[in-house]
Structures are given as C-alpha cells and as structure tokens.
Amino acid sequence: MKDIAQRAGVSESAVSFALNGRPGVSEVTRDRIRRVAEQLGWRPSTAARALSGEGAATVGLVLARPAAVLGVDSFFLQLVSGIQEILSERQLGLLFQVVEDMDAECAVYRRWWAENRVDGVLVVDPRTDDPRPDLLGELGLPGVVIGALPGDDGPLLRNDDGEAVPHPGLSQVRADDAGAMAVIVGRLHELGHRRIAHIAGLPSLAHTERRVRSLKAEAGRRGLAEVCSLTTDYSDTQGAAATRRVLAGAGAPTALVYDNDVMAAAGVAVAAELGLRVPRDLSVVSWEDSALCRLVRPWLTALSRDTVAFGRGAAHELVALLDGGAAHTVQVPLPHLIERESTAGARTH
C-alpha cells in the first residue's frame, strides 16, 4: 500500500478506498491508483479480506463419493470445467474436497463456515433424505443445489420477487430426470422393446429415485409388465455384476438403460461374454454421453446434455447469490437421445 501511495502521489487511505471500491476518492484518482497497482502486480489478499469480514473470494464444492469411482466419471470433470469458467471470470477460487459420506460433508461445511474459508457452496447429488439444505440455512451459507432436491419437486416457498424456491438463500439448477427417462423408454417402446432393465446409480440419490419412479410410471402407461431397476455405485464392476444378474434370469430384458457411460461400456462387454450381440440380441442406452460412448464397439446410444453449460449455470447462480440476488430455481433443457449403433428393433422369438 505504501509503494502504491508513493508512486501515485496519494495517501495510503486513498489507496485503501480506491482498491476496496469505497467512496472517498475521485474517479480520476481511483483510476490512477488502480493503474499503479496493476503496474506493481498488486492482487487482493484473500486471507486479509476474510479477516476483515469482506469475504474469502472462494466457493466450496464437496463430493461425498468414493474417490475410485469419481476417477472414471466424466460428468464431474465436465461439470467442474463449466464451474471454473465462471469463477475465473470473477477471480473466485474453488475449494474442492472429496469425502466418504454425508456426515463428513456436513462437517466440512461447518468447518469452512467457522473458519470463513468460503463465501458459498455448490451442492451436488441431492439425497432422498438430505440434511444439507437445513444445515446451510442454519449457517447462513449461500448455496446452489445442482440437481433437484427430493420430494414432489414442487415449490415450497417464494422469494421477494414472488418466485417459487424450496429454501431461502438456496438456489437450484434442476435436471428433469423423469422427463429424460420418459424419452428413453418411449424410444425403446417404439423399437418394440417390452422388457427393459435399468442399471441405476446410488440408491440414496434423489435423481436415482426419480429415474426409477419414472421408469415404472412409463411402463404402466405403456403396458410394459417386465421392467426393473438395479442400483449400483456407478462403477464398471458393479455395473457388470448387475448386467450378469438381469441377463441370467428368466425373461431376460431386450434393452438395458445404464445411468452412466462406464457401466454401459461394461454392460456391452458382459453381453459379448455371454454370447449376446449388441444390438441384435440386446439394445444398450447410456444416460451420459462421452468420448467413451464412441470408443467402444458398437458405438453407444446415449442421452446428450451440455454438462459444461450445466456447471456454468450453477456457478452463475451462486455468483448472483453472492452479489445479493434472490434465490431461485433454473430448469436446464431436457437432454436429447443420440441414437448410435447399440440400439435397434427388438428381436421376436
């Protein structure tokens, strides 16, 4: 501060006013001080800002999933890429941590809040019984939920603008999992498939519950009696095991829907091992599209959505909250089904 004041020919207090965006100096002086600060390579101190109550200039993201499973999941890499685009524009840091379970995640939020480590958080993987919205409300920590919170997906409260929100101070960027499952089932039904198995992700996740519920609802609406869902940890190992289980039973499915690309690729390998050809004997659909879907043979039919844009949208909503905006809910566009070589008409036996 002394160096900047000396070079700009002003007092240290004028430097403080200018660099912290406070009144007390003219715009001409403010611009001169900022130019000098830039020349000297000055950057705001995050630690000093936190101590003075001005914020940490950092947001947090905690993932309560096994690290080994995250290592093969392309969704989170793309999501974080989108988040970083927006945070970088605002010169905000991202504090990232992987933990084993929900209790550990909640403990991280409490510690971050007590230490003034973050100004807000991005919350992923909404749970069927989720303690995080209430905890963040107690702490007064702004947050954005990526994915819809559990329940009937309806509004619970309204903000000052009259817009429906589930929790004050907590925005949502929602994906329509039920609608996406309806798209998949509708197309498989058009292709003549009447026995469909869903190899799902973690049973505790709200979006898993919505996908399972939507499959059953669509089956009932279309008169499909033979549908089922099996939950896994999203890994290729459990995806392969679930595939063997459903294909070994009586009345094996003619179509399989996987909740990620890794399990879908593992499912194709299991089908080959069992002497089944995809798509002649078995159609396969991946919920997530990625490069992997175009590396296996046959290429995988997949739901496609802009996950990077999903991350950008979530970060944008959090920045808006940090700027004093009201919490609200954003619905992302419904993903579309890209049909490739792994789906075809069901064989008649």
Side-chain angles (χ1 to χ4, degrees), residues 156-170:
L156 301 179
L157 298 172
R158 294 185 179 274
N159 61 23
D160 293 338
D161 297 326
E163 185 178 9
V165 292
H167 296 271
L170 194 64

Side-chain angles (χ1 to χ4, degrees), residues 62-64 99 101-109 123-124 127 132:
V62 184
L63 296 182
V99 296
D101 54 35
M102 186 57 57
D103 288 342
E105 180 173 344
C106 290
V108 169
Y109 294 142
V123 179
V124 298
R127 309 292 169 128
R132 294 172 296 178

Side-chain angles (χ1 to χ4, degrees), residues 98-217:
V98 177
V99 296
E100 285 299 316
D101 54 35
M102 186 57 57
D103 288 342
E105 180 173 344
C106 290
V108 169
Y109 294 142
R110 291 189 182 94
R111 185 174 71 253
W112 283 352
W113 172 81
E115 297 173 355
N116 292 318
R117 297 287 297 279
V118 298
D119 298 323
V121 293
L122 294 155
V123 179
V124 298
D125 287 344
R127 309 292 169 128
T128 52
D129 184 14
D130 204 318
R132 294 172 296 178
D134 289 339
L135 172 61
L136 295 176
E138 288 173 22
L139 299 176
L141 195 57
V144 174
V145 176
I146 301 175
L149 287 166
D152 61 1
D153 300 336
L156 301 179
L157 298 172
R158 294 185 179 274
N159 61 23
D160 293 338
D161 297 326
E163 185 178 9
V165 292
H167 296 271
L170 194 64
S171 290
Q172 286 190 71
V173 179
R174 285 184 173 179
D176 185 0
D177 292 285
M181 178 61 83
V183 168
I184 294 172
V185 174
R187 181 54 183 149
L188 291 175
H189 183 265
E190 288 175 358
L191 291 172
H193 295 280
R194 301 296 179 263
R195 300 193 303 276
I196 303 171
H198 170 213
I199 310 301
L202 294 165
S204 60
L205 301 184
H207 68 248
T208 300
E209 189 272 337
R210 274 189 291 273
R211 294 173 190 182
V212 171
R213 190 173 67 225
S214 179
L215 173 62
K216 292 177 180 176

